[in-house]
Every structure is written in C-alpha cells, then in structure tokens.
Amino acid sequence: MARTSTPVVAGWFTGAGEDFRLLGTECPACSSVFFPREDGMCRNPGCACDDLVEVPLSRRGRVWSYTDARYRPPAPYVSDPELPWEPRALVAVELAAERIVVLGQAALGVSVSDLDIGMEVEVVAGVLDEEGDEDTGTAWTTWHWRPTGVTA
Amino acid sequence: MTRDVAVLGAGMHPWGKWGRGFVEYGVAAARAALEEAGADWRDVDSVVGADTVRAGYPGYVAGATFAKALGWQGARVTSVYAACASGAQAISTARAQILAGLADVVLVVGADAAPKGFFRPAGGDRPDDPDWLRFRVLGATNPAYFGLYARRRMALHGDTLEDFAQVKVKNAASGALNPNARYRSPVSADDVAASAVVADPLRLLDICATSDGGAALVLSSMEYARRHGAASPVRIRAVSTVTPSYPNTVLDLPDIATDSAVGKEPEGPGFRGSIARAAYEEAGIGPEDLSLAEVYDLSTALELQWYEDLGLCAAGEAAKLLREGATAPGGRIPVNPSGGLASFGEAVPAQAIAQVCELTWQLRGTTGARQVAGARVGLTANQGLFGHGSSVVAVR
Ligand SMILES: [Zn+2]
C-alpha cells in the first residue's frame, strides 16, 4: 500500500509520466484559453460564449521569470514544521500556443541557479505534500516545471 | 475647475508596530485631519472608511466604526474595500459625493493593525479563492511575485541588484526626515546587500514590511473651502480607479496565470500604465507636469517599474533615471519624498490615503527638510490585488 494520490485541485491537470498535462478550458467562439479553468463564461469582453471546453495545455514553454521562497510560506501551504525549510523555486512559464503565463513550483531539486529567463521547461507531475501514514494517507499531487535541458 | 475638490486637512497616526487596535489609529488620524482643517467633526456630512480585513466585523464596516468612535452625529456613511487601493476608492467615493452635491465636507479614514510576517489569506478551505489557492498550491507569498518582477526586469532591462538597493537608500534617506515614518534610519547599499534573501533576487531590505498606521483627509467642495477661508487650498483634480483590460498579460497578484492573448490582441499600455493614463487624462496633464510622485514601492524593483508606467521615462530606462538622480530629492521628478513604503511599511487601507497626505503637505510646502521645492502638481499611484487601479492627482 502507499498513500492515495489526490490532485490538490480537481480538474487542473491529468495523466502521468509523458502524458501529464495541465488542463484549461478553451472558448470555441474566440479561442481564448483559460487557466485556471473557467467553466462558466468566456472572459473576453467581446465574446458572449458560455460553452467552454476542456483542453490540455502545451507541455513545454519558456521561463518568463523565476524566484524562490527562502522562508517557509504560511498556511494554507503545508510543510513539516519538524524539518528545516528548503528553499523552493517558483517558475512563471510562457506557453507560446496559448499565449499565457502559468506559475508553478519548480521540480524538486531545481533551484534558481538552474534557471534562466527564456529557458525551455516542461510540465511534470509532482507531489505537493503528504499527510497521514504510509498506508492510509494522502499524497496531494500538483504540477511542477522542469528544465528540458534545451536553452533558448 | 469645477471638478476639483479641496483638501482642507490631512492627518496621520505615525506608522509603526504599536500593538493597539486599528480604530485608535484611525481616530487619531481623523482628529489630526479635522484639526488641520479647522473643522468640527459635527460639521462632517459624510464619512468614508477604507476597510481592513484583519480586524473582524468592525474592520469590514470601517466607516461606521470610525463614526461611532468619533461620536455618532448622523453623518452619511460608506465603507469600501479594494485591497491596497481601498484608500483611493474611499477618496473617489468622497469626491463623487462632493461633486454630486450630496455632501459639502467628507472625512476619509483608513487604518490598519498589521499581523507579523507575510500577509496570509483568511482561514478555512476556499478552493474557489485565487488568494487561497496561490498559498495552498504554490506557497506564493507577495514577495514571490515581487521577486518574479524583479528578475524579469534584470533580464529584460539590465537592472542590477545595486539599482534596487539604491531605491532603498534613496527612500530611507527621505523617510529619516519624516516623523510619520516607521523606519527613520539611513540605509546603505551594503546594508541591503547584507540582508537575507527573501525571494530571489530580492532581499529583506528590498521588500516593504507590514505596519500599523492610520491616515485621514478632510475633503470639501471648492465653494465650502472658499466660504471657510481656504482661498487657495490643495485640490484633488483626478482619481483613477480603473480595472485592467482583457487580456491582462502581466502576472498579477494573486493570480496563478495571466489571461491568454490568443482570443484578443492586447492593446494599450498594460494595467499599471492604464492607471496613470486615466489619471493624467482626467487631470488634463502629462508626466512632464509632475513636481513629485508617491508610488507604491512594495519592493525596490517595483518602484522602478512605476517610473516607466507613469511615463517618467521610456520602458527599460527606469534604472538610468534613478542613477541620474532624477527621482531623488532635488532631482527633476522626486519619487517618494515621504520615504515611501520602504520607510513606512504597508498599512493597507491607510496607505493610499497616506500618499495623498504627503502630496497635500508637499503642495503646501510644509514638509520641512524633505520639501520638494516649488511643488505644484503631485501624483500617487498604486495597484490593489484583484485588479484595482489607484492614482490621485493633486494640485496647488
Ligand atoms: Zn470567447
């Protein structure tokens, strides 16, 4: 047995491994893409469409900017107060096809010194935090950005 | 000229970490503003409070809370909330009431008692609240966003950590001269460089703290001001409270992503630029007319961003403007002669009002050692979470 994997937010991503994707919604009338997903109305003020459809976002994008959290973020962020805080990098990534910038944590082990603006990154499945014991607990899953090794 | 409203009085409770309630700070600021105006509280037709979300119900109905504390006298009441832009919304409401003829004298008050450490969302699980989500899913504090903007400026425009530090050095020097500021010691670039990194590339001294404080204004119609002996008062000529235009393509607090530009091409100067543009248009002035500006330096790098968004220089040239000394005391366009948030720390609902207090005193020429010589036109600028623009133009 292992902890049960549960997305930290339902409907924001899907799949595993190479098939992991962020999920947004797209307006069939004006092509606007929304992440986090809009399931009601299109937010383009010139568009009255209210029938948005789910769409996977591009797997790869380029770093728009990055930073990190050198101090433990407050709740509702979850971290083990027993363990020393390890700085966590945050990456804002521009997806060319969607013309959108999406923020996410960098994959574990990626620090700001590994990042550069314009660098190519890809979205990967990650674990945000775990609660409960090994058998009956929950692993809250999320998306992470990881450099592909390809530089602009 | 008929669109002007008069600033009869401005008042503040000094910023700090006093450990008392927000009502006390707000009342102290209100009394100071009334005294400066030479007005009796019972002459006030309308009170507008800028809300705090950190003090329970009394904070959500700040206008009534202050009115009760000052002594119920029957005034019309309004309470507004717009995050960091709450103070500007309060001023905007007061001005609209005066210009509509609904009130002659309006008291505007904002005050806060800030918690220690990072601003954090209210408790409880709220997966529909972007502010809750950015903490839960990303641990993205406000400084994280400031770090993103700063790093982007370094890559795009060649800003350096030294440039950022020099913003703090400039503002700390001004704040040292301001009795209402919380931090009143000069800071060196070495001090900034020696402070701990909070959100790469920004250090503790690049980022504004959170403070207790209160600020208030007594506003009136020009006609009332004349009748009461204020022949040439400081006037508020414009209040910009615009929202962004879709698509908003710059990542804004507390969002996890920008709008997509696929369905509609971005137009205009971007959100922050549009805040200033609306203020300039309403006032019938341009950046070249400004004597001074008070901008929201939540971080040192963000102050540089404002230089460009206000049109004080071209995009990418803010660090050059700073290095030339143009925004320092005695420069072409001094920015944050009050010491800015760097010297105050943010007291959310009071801060945009405090910016206008500084304009008022600068335009009257009563700020002593930090006075901008010959100040005629001043502008404030800030941006509240969730798409609240805030900019005020005051003239003498
Ligand atoms: Zn649409």
Side-chain angles (χ1 to χ4, degrees), chain B residues 33-311:
Chain B
L34 286 163
E35 188 182 332
E36 215 189 77
D40 189 294
W41 156 237
R42 287 163 296 184
D43 297 335
V44 170
D45 302 315
S46 169
V47 56
V48 186
D51 292 349
T52 170
V53 294
R54 273 177 283 279
Y57 222 135
Y60 301 139
V61 293
T65 299
F66 295 133
K68 183 180 179 186
L70 288 162
W72 292 125
Q73 47 84 318
R76 179 192 293 267
V77 65
T78 312
S79 301
V80 300
Y81 187 71
C84 304
S86 299
Q89 299 248 326
I91 293 167
S92 176
T93 302
R95 173 176 175 256
Q97 290 178 349
I98 292 166
L99 293 180
L102 298 173
D104 269 336
V105 184
V106 185
L107 174 67
V108 174
V109 193
D112 207 3
K116 198 174 157 53
F118 293 122
F119 279 143
R120 61 189 70 193
D125 279 9
R126 289 191 313 285
D128 292 331
D129 175 352
D131 195 50
W132 184 86
L133 284 166
R134 57 130 169 178
F135 280 97
R136 172 68 186 102
V137 179
L138 302 171
T141 58
N142 291 359
Y145 289 79
F146 309 152
L148 291 170
Y149 304 147
R151 176 60 67 185
R152 176 103 182 138
R153 285 197 61 85
M154 292 172 76
L156 233 58
H157 303 314
D159 292 6
T160 64
L161 296 178
E162 172 72 15
D163 293 328
F164 299 156
Q166 288 302 334
V167 174
K168 176 70 175 190
V169 171
K170 170 181 76 69
N171 289 349
S174 294
L177 305 173
N178 190 339
N180 284 313
R182 173 176 171 192
Y183 302 103
R184 301 199 54 204
S185 303
V187 172
S188 70
D190 287 343
D191 294 334
V192 180
S195 65
V197 175
V198 173
D200 176 89
L202 297 178
R203 295 175 178 275
L204 189 63
L205 293 183
D206 284 303
I207 295 167
C208 94
T210 61
S211 293
D212 297 356
L217 294 165
V218 177
L219 306 180
S220 80
S221 64
M222 291 302 296
E223 211 266 326
Y224 181 97
R226 267 189 295 272
R227 264 192 286 131
H228 288 77
S232 163
V234 169
R235 302 146 194 227
I236 290 178
R237 183 151 289 174
V239 183
S240 162
T241 56
V242 296
T243 49
S245 291
Y246 183 90
N248 191 6
T249 56
V250 175
L251 188 66
D252 267 344
L253 286 95
D255 294 335
I256 286 174
T258 63
D259 291 336
S260 149
V262 164
K264 183 172 182 291
E265 201 57 37
E267 289 168 16
F271 181 38
R272 271 189 305 271
S274 74
I275 296 168
R277 188 174 65 180
Y280 287 137
E281 282 178 3
E282 192 168 278
I285 62 164
E288 66 283 358
D289 297 312
L290 297 180
S291 313
L292 72 147
E294 284 282 316
V295 307
Y296 232 59
D297 55 321
L298 291 165
S299 80
T300 50
L302 207 54
E303 174 167 319
L304 296 180
Q305 185 66 48
W306 278 115
Y307 296 177
E308 298 167 15
D309 294 323
L310 297 185

Side-chain angles (χ1 to χ4, degrees), chain A residues 27-32 34 42-44 47-49 52:
Chain A
C27 173
C30 76
S31 308
S32 291
F34 299 100
C42 178
R43 288 195 287 103
N44 179 346
C47 181
C49 184
L52 307 184

